[in-house]
Amino acid sequence: MTSEQPAALPEGVAPGRGAGRGSAADEGPDARSGRPGRGAPAVVATVATLAAGAAVAVQTSVNGHVSVATGSPVLATAVNHGSALLIALVVALAMGALPRAARNLRARRAQLRRWWFLGGVMGFVAVLAIITVTPEVGVVAVAVAVTLGQLAGSVLADGAGLGPGGRRPLSVLRAVGLAVAVAAVVVGALGRFDLGNAFVIPVVVLAGAVIAVQQAANGWLIVVTGEFAAMSVINFVTSGVFVGIALLVSLAVAPIDFGALPPWAPVGGTLGVAIGVVTALTVRTIGVLSAILCIAAGQAIAAVVLDLLVPVDAVGLTPAAIVAAALAVAAVGIAGLGSAPRRSSRRARRRSPLAETGILP
């Protein structure tokens, strides 16, 4: 990809391969509509985002255990972001993604929005909140609160047109899918909430909403850089500044036992890279809300498997958790039916800051 040929990432074209602009047929049936895609691209995006949701559950558990082992949520956050930055940087350098991304950004400088580059800050705030709270209320309670926040945030993000797919109004079917997803996470939490710790739940709900906006910003970075690896590096470099400040402040307040770090501590960051890349790539195809619903379903399914094989609490696998997983999967299907593409109007296309530049169809 060269600066003379700025291009979006059409469905079915791998990022980082220098795909140039093509015809409407080349870009897929829904590229010009800006609506969630049908057919193979949408199916692949849905399955990939479900897998990302499962990884979220595993990452939450890993980071929570690191926080408990070290006694420092800030150190756990630093390890998570540090390992993620290292992996993202190695991948970006190996692919030669950074020079291409820099050329594309220079070519599109006038169309860029500053908030697209704040995804790393959003991720730092959300991850620190989640890691801090997880040892207090448990993985399931945190997953429920985060998912509720993500659902609410995704409705706002899609309604405001924050994502690169444009504005997506809340249709009846998507509203039903949202309601079913809320029921899924609530059912899955039956018998697990501790009312004595309820005051921390709003904090995690807010973190979930921040994550939804972060995913919209990441989707834009994929579009304007043309490189998913560059998006990851930008995110983690930005968050690294704030993580470093937080770690220095924490060290000034109390000593941190770095020797208590378990050898598997970087697993959370590794999963974080994969989750960020997958959601950024799929959000344009299926929309922010549908992506969040897929993540909710993946988390529910992973919770069933984890509670069956490696339970982390005394409750373990419950019938409610199985019902919740089934409801979450149903929610994804219902929301997907409500995401059928519709022809966009000329007025709707003008809402996109990049519509007139050819970066978006």
Side-chain angles (χ1 to χ4, degrees), residues 64-90:
H65 283 296
V66 173
S67 178
V68 171
T70 61
S72 173
V74 175
L75 178 58
T77 304
V79 171
N80 178 84
H81 283 72
S83 57
L85 172 59
L86 180 61
I87 294 171
L89 191 57
V90 169

Side-chain angles (χ1 to χ4, degrees), residues 74 244-258:
V74 175
I245 294 173
L247 191 59
L248 290 175
V249 171
S250 182
L251 283 170
V253 173
I256 297 178
D257 185 8
F258 290 91

Side-chain angles (χ1 to χ4, degrees), residues 32-251:
R32 293 195 179 278
S33 69
R35 300 292 179 181
R38 285 176 175 169
V43 172
V44 172
T46 298
V47 173
T49 315
L50 283 169
V56 169
V58 177
Q59 182 193 31
T60 301
S61 179
V62 168
N63 288 340
H65 283 296
V66 173
S67 178
V68 171
T70 61
S72 173
V74 175
L75 178 58
T77 304
V79 171
N80 178 84
H81 283 72
S83 57
L85 172 59
L86 180 61
I87 294 171
L89 191 57
V90 169
V91 172
L93 292 175
M95 295 176 61
L98 297 182
R100 291 194 298 267
R103 288 195 297 268
N104 288 331
L105 288 175
R106 284 195 297 269
R108 300 161 181 173
R109 183 169 55 250
Q111 291 79 36
L112 300 179
R113 299 293 181 268
R114 292 179 181 177
W115 75 270
W116 298 346
F117 298 87
L118 297 179
V121 179
M122 300 178 201
F124 161 68
V125 172
V127 170
L128 180 59
I130 291 169
I131 290 177
T132 301
V133 171
T134 298
E136 299 295 329
V137 298
V139 175
V140 174
V142 168
V144 170
V146 169
T147 301
L148 288 175
Q150 287 178 313
L151 293 173
S154 64
V155 169
L156 296 176
D158 274 347
L162 296 183
R167 184 169 295 174
R168 294 185 173 94
L170 185 62
S171 65
V172 174
L173 284 174
R174 295 183 83 195
V176 172
L178 175 60
V180 174
V182 171
V185 294
V186 171
V187 169
L190 290 177
R192 296 179 182 268
F193 269 116
D194 183 356
L195 294 179
N197 294 324
F199 69 93
V200 303
I201 296 302
V203 175
V204 187
V205 172
L206 181 59
V210 170
I211 291 173
V213 178
Q214 180 196 21
Q215 289 168 342
N218 287 349
W220 274 116
L221 285 183
I222 288 284
V223 171
V224 297
T225 65
E227 304 288 341
F228 71 85
M231 177 276 297
S232 297
V233 172
I234 292 172
N235 261 309
F236 290 115
V237 166
T238 305
S239 66
V241 174
F242 291 87
V243 170
I245 294 173
L247 191 59
L248 290 175
V249 171
S250 182
L251 283 170

